[in-house]
Amino acid sequence: AQSVAQPEDQVNVAEGNPLTVKCTYSVSGNPYLFWYVQYPNRGLQFLLKYITGDNLVKGSYGFEAEFNKSQTSFHLKKPSALVSDSALYFCAVRDDTGGFKTIFGAGTRLFVKA
Amino acid sequence: GAVVSQHPSWVICKSGTSVKIECRSLDFQATTMFWYRQFPKQSLMLMATSNEGSKATYEQGVEKDKFLINHASLTLSTLTVTSAHPEDSSFYICSARRAAITETQYFGPGTRLLVL
């Protein structure tokens, strides 16, 4: 069965500092991994995805994520946080066995202080 | 590109009435659309998957007769909450998968439903 864990309910970081939002996963086959961001009362916006290839994936708004197969992790990172990055971040996974059901993590709220 | 809209953005209704929520892919054809429910401060829970022209596939625990899903065209899916009750109050979000690109879902802005 597929599962996603986001171990931190909340991450606090000062503006200009690097940020990391953690995600670990479990799938039967090879993973397709995604990060989405949600602003209050809004739907989800796609940030980036890993399907295959380079383990370091670059996405929107300066975000990147590193796929680590041995640790089954896909942590979201940004070198320099902005106050406007404050939002709810969801990690999601599905496997490559043919279905398209995507499982979402519980979400991590990011607060960036000025 | 890849814009998904939902209508209405929010709705308040009386207990016992039915509410229809529309999900449209504005600039692409969506072979598959998904309906999610999100409770406050929680993640998205997949309710059902709908494929154009066929019956929706509901997740375990989701009442088919309560949440009617229709995917009549490649750009429109509807979710009807029948005989709504206060416990159905939630944030409903749809997403769509582009026909030619399979990996990414594009999400609508969500519909907030409040049942009094």
Side-chain angles (χ1 to χ4, degrees):
Chain A
Q2 302 166 183
S3 66
V4 179
Q6 292 181 244
E8 303 154 316
D9 292 335
Q10 183 173 310
V11 171
N12 297 310
V13 64
E15 188 174 34
N17 284 0
L19 70 86
T20 299
V21 183
K22 296 180 180 177
C23 172
T24 58
Y25 66 91
S26 174
V27 295
S28 302
N30 293 313
Y32 293 169
L33 295 155
F34 306 84
W35 275 101
Y36 292 89
V37 59
Q38 185 181 35
Y39 295 97
N41 297 311
R42 301 290 300 276
L44 275 66
Q45 296 179 30
F46 171 76
L47 281 179
L48 50 80
K49 65 183 178 185
Y50 171 83
I51 304 299
T52 186
D54 195 349
N55 289 345
L56 184 63
V57 179
K58 294 188 181 296
S60 307
Y61 313 119
F63 284 94
E64 59 187 30
E66 186 168 11
F67 170 61
N68 187 317
K69 187 173 183 178
S70 62
Q71 297 184 5
T72 62
S73 67
F74 190 58
H75 302 330
L76 180 70
K77 299 182 179 183
K78 187 173 182 180
S80 179
L82 299 173
V83 172
S84 57
D85 292 331
S86 299
L88 185 58
Y89 290 81
F90 290 100
C91 180
V93 67
R94 71 176 182 92
D95 63 29
D96 66 346
T97 57
F100 201 76
K101 182 176 179 179
T102 301
I103 303 299
F104 287 80
T108 298
R109 190 164 296 280
L110 173 67
F111 286 102
V112 181
K113 297 174 63 176
Chain B
V3 177
V4 176
S5 70
Q6 279 184 243
H7 178 80
S9 56
W10 60 273
V11 58
I12 302 174
C13 69
K14 293 182 179 180
S15 183
T17 61
S18 294
V19 175
K20 179 183 284 188
I21 302 170
E22 292 186 349
C23 177
R24 293 182 185 272
S25 55
L26 299 184
D27 53 359
F28 66 98
Q29 293 184 329
T31 54
T32 307
M33 288 185 169
F34 306 86
W35 286 96
Y36 294 86
R37 186 173 179 178
Q38 186 180 30
F39 292 100
K41 299 184 179 180
Q42 294 189 28
S43 187
L44 281 70
M45 300 300 295
L46 180 64
M47 299 174 65
T49 302
S50 78
N51 292 294
E52 186 265 339
S54 63
K55 290 184 178 180
T57 301
Y58 289 81
E59 294 300 304
Q60 192 172 9
V62 177
E63 299 176 60
K64 301 178 182 180
D65 296 332
K66 176 92 176 153
F67 299 99
L68 300 179
I69 292 173
N70 182 276
H71 193 160
S73 76
L74 285 172
T75 60
L76 173 65
S77 177
T78 60
L79 167 68
T80 301
V81 183
T82 62
S83 187
H85 289 90
E87 58 265 30
D88 298 325
S89 299
S90 191
F91 194 50
Y92 292 88
I93 305 175
C94 75
S95 71
R97 177 171 67 113
R98 296 176 74 158
I101 301 174
T102 61
E103 295 88 5
T104 302
Q105 296 181 59
Y106 298 94
F107 285 83
T111 297
R112 186 161 300 283
L113 171 63
L114 177 61
V115 185
L116 303 177

